[in-house]
Amino acid sequence: MGFDNVLITGAGGFLGSHLTERLLKKGHRVIAVDNFCTGLKSNRPYLESLPEAQDRLFFVEADVTAPWEPWLKNLPDFVLKKVSHVLHFASPASPPLYQEMALETMWVNSIGTNRAMEFADGVGARVVFASTSEIYGDPDITPQPESYWGNVNTVGIRSCYDEAKRFGESLIFTHNLKKNTRHGFVRIFNTYGPRMNPSDGRVVINLLVQALDGKPLTIFGEGKQTRSFCYVDDLCAGIELYAQSELTEPVNIGNDREFTILELAQIVQRMFPEKKLDIRFMEMPKDDPRQRRPDLTKAKKHLQGWAPRIALEDGLVHMRRWLESQARA
Ligand code: UDP
């Protein structure tokens, strides 16, 4: 199912802004919706200044948990009627921010997902919901295939996010079943790249910001826990292919090269040899997953040979350059 006009929630955020740019550059109109509760404010002027945005980007500052009618009615009919896809990416995504905005996180992934589907059904569009590897919780098996049901604490500090995303998945599944629709969702593994909010708190941006400031790199626990880091362009390519497909089942999207957090910190140390960065070991947060690595068999099979291509070492250089350009601006 090819794209026509696309509505992206969370378009001012990290992933949403990359998807917006990508689709604008492919010639589509984008309705970009965000309330900037976590997204970097400068992402809006960045997107609006793209030559491709001039008569094709419609930016709306709104909370997608609240009714959509007040802003939908201000959008031109010819744009709304031809919306083929709704990419529902609005949600805090970093552990410190989703814990701070725990209830908002629960509502945007439940009520917000329902509103996205109601709108989409009205115009005949397909929703793609940003689910997450967090639905696997602290996994007992590695790598994690989509068939794994997960190991999630319902009453822990991460449950507001994990369970909200699980509910979002379940809502889409049930909505499809009852209303005969074909909405879908992708399970996104740790992703990094330019336009992350520097105060977001996730490990890659944290370590790079600390390195640029010449501060010690913070590692939670002993750094033996693992993550598998995907560069944002690889992720967006996979999401685009999933959206264009007719798939309604979950597909993992990420990079399956696995690193301990200590290894990540050592890579960052080697990127800045002149800074002689120390490592500061800090208390391990509760319920922090011990391992995480996507099984990408399904993605490779169903997404036209898609595979992540950008090595962590190269992606980190792109991200460093972007951070340095921000510091100069
Ligand atoms: N982490 C760390 N130092 C930091 C931030 C995070 O050691 O400054 C660890 C965190 O405990 C987790 C991993 O890095 O084990 C990835 O954390 P992140 O917040 O990026 O996302 P998560 O995958 O836990 O959702």
Side-chain angles (χ1 to χ4, degrees):
M1 184 179 172
F3 287 109
D4 204 338
N5 300 340
V6 183
L7 191 153
I8 303 182
T9 76
F14 167 47
L15 297 182
S17 74
H18 281 272
L19 289 166
T20 302
E21 178 171 5
R22 189 177 180 94
L23 292 172
L24 285 172
K25 288 192 167 158
K26 292 198 168 178
H28 304 286
R29 289 196 189 91
V30 178
I31 302 169
V33 192
D34 208 299
N35 68 350
F36 288 98
C37 70
T38 56
L40 193 56
K41 286 252 161 61
S42 59
N43 288 343
R44 179 174 179 174
Y46 170 82
L47 291 170
E48 287 177 334
S49 68
L50 296 171
E52 296 83 359
Q54 294 324 310
D55 51 359
R56 285 197 267 115
L57 176 64
F58 300 81
F59 216 109
V60 180
E61 292 209 19
D63 174 358
V64 293
T65 305
W68 290 20
E69 286 73 25
W71 50 270
L72 281 178
K73 68 177 182 343
N74 298 328
L75 290 164
D77 241 19
F78 73 94
V79 178
L80 281 180
K81 288 222 172 85
K82 284 200 163 177
V83 172
S84 61
H85 291 78
V86 177
L87 307 182
H88 180 39
F89 277 62
S91 175
S94 89
L97 293 179
Y98 69 61
Q99 284 160 33
E100 195 182 310
M101 283 176 270
L103 287 172
E104 290 88 338
T105 300
M106 298 199 83
W107 301 142
V108 77
N109 288 295
S110 52
I111 298 171
T113 305
N114 194 45
R115 291 200 191 282
M117 287 193 289
E118 280 179 346
F119 165 75
D121 290 351
V123 295
R126 164 169 159 84
V127 172
V128 174
F129 170 58
S131 186
T132 166
S133 53
E134 275 292 309
I135 67 102
Y136 300 124
D138 184 12
D140 298 315
I141 58 166
T142 190
Q144 294 87 52
E146 290 84 350
S147 54
Y148 178 55
W149 288 1
N151 174 32
V152 178
N153 179 4
T154 61
V155 289
I157 53 171
R158 296 174 85 104
S159 68
C160 57
Y161 186 70
D162 302 8
E163 293 296 350
K165 290 291 187 186
R166 289 173 71 96
F167 180 84
E169 288 196 2
S170 188
L171 187 62
I172 290 177
F173 172 78
T174 310
H175 186 104
N176 283 341
L177 202 65
K178 294 289 175 190
K179 303 201 182 202
N180 202 20
T181 50
R182 296 199 63 83
H183 304 307
F185 49 95
V186 283
R187 292 187 180 147
I188 298 171
F189 282 65
N190 295 66
T191 304
Y192 67 98
R195 303 213 290 280
M196 280 183 107
N197 193 332
S199 55
D200 171 285
R202 275 176 282 186
V203 68
V204 174
I205 186 91
N206 251 14
L207 298 192
L208 283 180
V209 169
Q210 289 161 350
L212 284 168
D213 291 346
K215 294 191 175 142
L217 307 179
T218 54
I219 289 197
F220 301 161
E222 294 172 55
K224 288 185 183 155
Q225 68 274 38
T226 70
R227 295 293 186 272
S228 308
F229 300 101
C230 186
Y231 189 67
V232 64
D233 290 354
D234 280 336
L235 189 96
C236 289
I239 289 167
E240 187 181 340
L241 288 165
Y242 181 91
Q244 286 173 327
S245 79
E246 296 261 307
L247 293 168
T248 55
E249 336 149 18
V251 174
N252 289 336
I253 305 189
N255 189 313
D256 53 3
R257 222 173 124 210
E258 188 176 15
F259 296 84
T260 66
I261 297 302
L262 186 59
E263 283 167 341
L264 171 69
Q266 286 162 345
I267 294 173
V268 173
Q269 281 180 317
R270 287 197 292 276
M271 285 173 72
F272 298 83
E274 71 292 353
K275 300 216 177 187
K276 302 193 172 16
L277 297 165
D278 286 334
I279 288 181
R280 179 181 296 156
F281 290 95
M282 300 176 66
E283 197 185 332
M284 185 72 152
K286 276 190 85 184
D287 292 351
D288 200 291
R290 285 158 300 161
Q291 55 184 0
R292 193 183 284 153
R293 177 179 167 216
D295 182 331
L296 296 177
T297 313
K298 202 168 164 189
K300 288 178 181 165
K301 182 166 170 215
H302 291 289
L303 304 181
Q304 299 172 27
W306 171 87
R309 306 198 184 281
I310 300 166
L312 179 61
E313 294 79 355
D314 298 329
L316 288 175
V317 172
H318 296 310
M319 202 164 161
R320 171 186 181 169
R321 285 203 197 111
W322 173 77
L323 274 168
E324 286 169 338
S325 75
Q326 295 300 292
R328 281 195 302 273

